[in-house]
Amino acid sequence: MSVQVLLKQIPKVDRVLGWPEIAPLLEQFPRSELLRAIRTCLDRFREQLITGDSQSAPEPHLIVAVVRDELSRRKRMNLQPVINGTGVVIHTNLGRSPLASLAEEAIHSVSQGYSNLEYNLANGDRGGRTTHVEGLIRELTGAEVALVVNNNAAAVMLALSTLAVNREVIVSRGELVEIGGSFRIPDVMRHSGATLVEVGATNRTHVSDYHAALSDSTALLLKVHASNFAIVGFTAEVTLDELVIIGRERGIPVMFDAGSGCLVDLTPHGIRGEPTVSQLLAQGADIVTFSGDKLLGGPQAGIIAGRRDLLEPMKRHPLMRAFRADKLSLAALEATLRLYRDEYLALREVPTLRMLTMTRDELSRWAGLIIRRLKRLIPAEVMFYKQKGESSAGGGSVPLLQLPTTLIEIRIQDVSPSQIEAALRRAATPVIGRIHQNRFLLDVRTIADRDILALTASIREAVTALTRKDQ
Ligand SMILES: *Cc1c(COP(=O)(O)O)cnc(C)c1O
């Protein structure tokens, strides 16, 4: 049959609107919304005939199903919750750190009304928006002064723009890192107006390299934490201690871009290589910059902690205004930081820390529990298998760390792992897993208790969608 003939077989919008399965939808959706959905779907079917992707006009039941899908898709927020089954705890593409319940409540309590964001309740005059968290940061890190901006990239930018404009900043070639495509230390440096002075080689940098690079225009010695890569083999790194000695000798401040911003010592939990901010400051770093939503487990934020004489000018810099954090982030950050007053509480209540420190046994039990709960409501054609595996921290934290975990493999008769992956990804609550050795896997480390209901619904939805396409 020619394409023209097939196109004529596609019904008109008004006719579809009158179908008995479609008409009742008018009670749930505005007429304009329904019309738009029908039109979009019919256009799509026409397109498929024209491109040859389809060789026959769609049956009415398929049109109805697609219209329903389109309506529910349009109703859904574009930015929406997903279930992270990747096991990558700090997953930048999936929103990095999930917030603690108290942080969520803090956002809620200041979002629907007014707040004392920049109002000093004690004396009734203007206050500073970051004063709500600065005291906490000082308390938790031992810093003289603290400052909060939008993210760590902004923190680094602000520090360099304030302290090193038209002057030189010395960085080891082994630390000229790129974080997630758009943040490259050399680029940030250039835009801040500072001149980058590279020293050493990619794999080896020595104290003497720094000495040779020092000049009258050296403003800063910068050390960047290797948060998303590791250099192994024949390597030599100038330690923070050594850098501090050089800085003190010459009266030049040392800045450490810590990336992650760890506030509790995680080595007892098998996570090495992430020094805490208070350790870095105690070691003599004059400025430490770090993220709010990596290991700290809070909202997106950049924190600068350090010496008063270096940070006060940053507070007055025009970029401070451009980089200022929003009230919702500040509320969540304050609530998260409060949890760190008690390390035990932080490890239990900050989801990022909780997930990273789950033991092998806990994960195995958790996987068993999830499977039992899923099986109760999911048809027997879906099979679940428990497997051992490994998860990583992700998001620019502890790059070589592989944590033992438990995976759930999902198998459906006559359905390929990539079909399962796609169907779950497109469910009302999308589920993101991974395919490894031709198996579709969910890592239970990043699946929360409150995800289970939605996970069940999504798997059921995926099964329905997969069997519908098979017909
Ligand atoms: C992640 C990271 C940044 C950027 O932090 P954002 O909060 O994502 O802006 C900068 N430096 C290092 C070392 C990092 O790991």
Side-chain angles (χ1 to χ4, degrees), residues 318-375:
L319 277 180
M320 182 67 210
R321 170 60 196 254
F323 292 162
R324 77 179 184 186
D326 142 82
K327 65 178 173 191
L328 302 185
S329 312
L330 288 168
L333 185 61
E334 181 184 347
T336 308
L337 290 171
R338 279 174 180 274
L339 292 169
Y340 279 94
R341 282 176 161 168
D342 176 355
E343 191 174 310
Y344 171 78
L345 200 62
L347 286 166
R348 201 187 63 196
E349 298 293 327
V350 176
T352 299
L353 293 185
R354 170 89 194 96
M355 291 186 281
L356 281 171
T357 57
M358 278 177 93
T359 62
R360 203 190 289 259
D361 287 347
E362 273 179 292
L363 288 157
S364 173
R365 273 201 305 276
W366 180 219
L369 194 66
I370 295 178
I371 291 177
R372 277 201 301 283
R373 284 168 66 182
L374 291 175
K375 275 188 173 165

Side-chain angles (χ1 to χ4, degrees), residues 258-264 274-277 289-291 294-297 340:
S260 237
C262 193
L263 296 182
V264 291
E274 286 294 333
T276 66
V277 177
T289 61
F290 55 100
S291 281
K294 290 186 181 171
L295 274 181
L296 200 146
Y340 279 94

Side-chain angles (χ1 to χ4, degrees), residues 67-339:
V67 168
R68 279 179 195 275
D69 282 355
E70 177 66 13
L71 283 168
S72 61
R73 196 189 61 76
R74 285 180 59 85
K75 216 167 83 175
R76 220 180 289 158
M77 285 287 289
N78 292 330
L79 178 60
Q80 57 170 335
V82 306
I83 294 171
N84 177 4
T86 66
V88 179
V89 176
I90 307 167
H91 198 305
T92 298
N93 301 141
L94 301 185
R96 287 208 184 148
S97 286
L99 295 179
S101 311
L102 281 172
E104 201 180 320
E105 284 165 27
I107 288 181
H108 191 77
S109 75
V110 298
S111 59
Q112 295 193 327
Y114 298 100
S115 61
N116 62 336
L117 180 64
E118 289 188 5
Y119 188 76
N120 184 332
L121 292 172
N123 43 20
D125 58 11
R126 195 172 193 252
R129 65 169 57 213
T130 59
T131 53
H132 309 290
V133 290
E134 285 172 19
L136 274 163
I137 300 168
R138 286 204 309 271
E139 189 182 309
L140 296 168
T141 63
E144 231 171 47
V145 172
L147 210 153
V148 179
V149 288
N150 254 322
N151 49 36
N152 188 29
V156 174
M157 186 77 171
L158 176 64
L160 294 175
S161 305
T162 309
L163 302 174
V165 163
N166 299 326
R167 297 180 65 201
E168 293 172 357
V169 178
I170 306 179
V171 192
S172 160
R173 286 203 172 86
E175 297 169 10
L176 292 174
V177 304
E178 172 182 306
I179 289 119
S182 49
F183 181 90
R184 279 183 169 176
I185 289 291
D187 296 340
V188 174
M189 195 82 79
R190 185 155 7 90
H191 287 285
S192 73
T195 304
L196 169 65
V197 178
E198 304 173 23
V199 294
T202 305
N203 58 334
R204 288 171 75 83
T205 303
H206 307 279
V207 170
S208 56
D209 294 323
Y210 282 89
H211 279 295
L214 285 164
S215 81
D216 288 341
S217 49
T218 307
L220 207 59
L221 304 177
L222 173 64
K223 190 162 176 63
V224 183
H225 187 47
S227 49
N228 58 359
F229 70 104
I231 297 177
V232 293
F234 185 55
T235 64
E237 183 189 6
V238 174
T239 63
L240 178 60
D241 291 326
E242 291 168 323
L243 215 54
V244 167
I245 293 171
I246 304 171
R248 295 272 154 90
E249 272 171 17
R250 304 290 289 254
I252 297 166
V254 174
M255 172 163 137
F256 192 97
D257 175 13
S260 237
C262 193
L263 296 182
V264 291
D265 186 4
L266 291 174
T267 46
H269 303 277
I271 299 168
R272 269 162 259 280
E274 286 294 333
T276 66
V277 177
S278 47
Q279 280 165 4
L280 295 166
L281 289 166
Q283 268 177 278
D286 297 292
I287 303 168
V288 178
T289 61
F290 55 100
S291 281
D293 56 355
K294 290 186 181 171
L295 274 181
L296 200 146
Q300 180 186 304
I303 298 170
I304 310 178
R307 249 166 61 188
R308 180 180 307 279
D309 62 318
L310 301 172
L311 267 68
E312 286 303 334
M314 292 183 203
K315 290 189 177 174
R316 293 189 299 271
H317 195 283
L319 277 180
M320 182 67 210
R321 170 60 196 254
F323 292 162
R324 77 179 184 186
D326 142 82
K327 65 178 173 191
L328 302 185
S329 312
L330 288 168
L333 185 61
E334 181 184 347
T336 308
L337 290 171
R338 279 174 180 274
L339 292 169

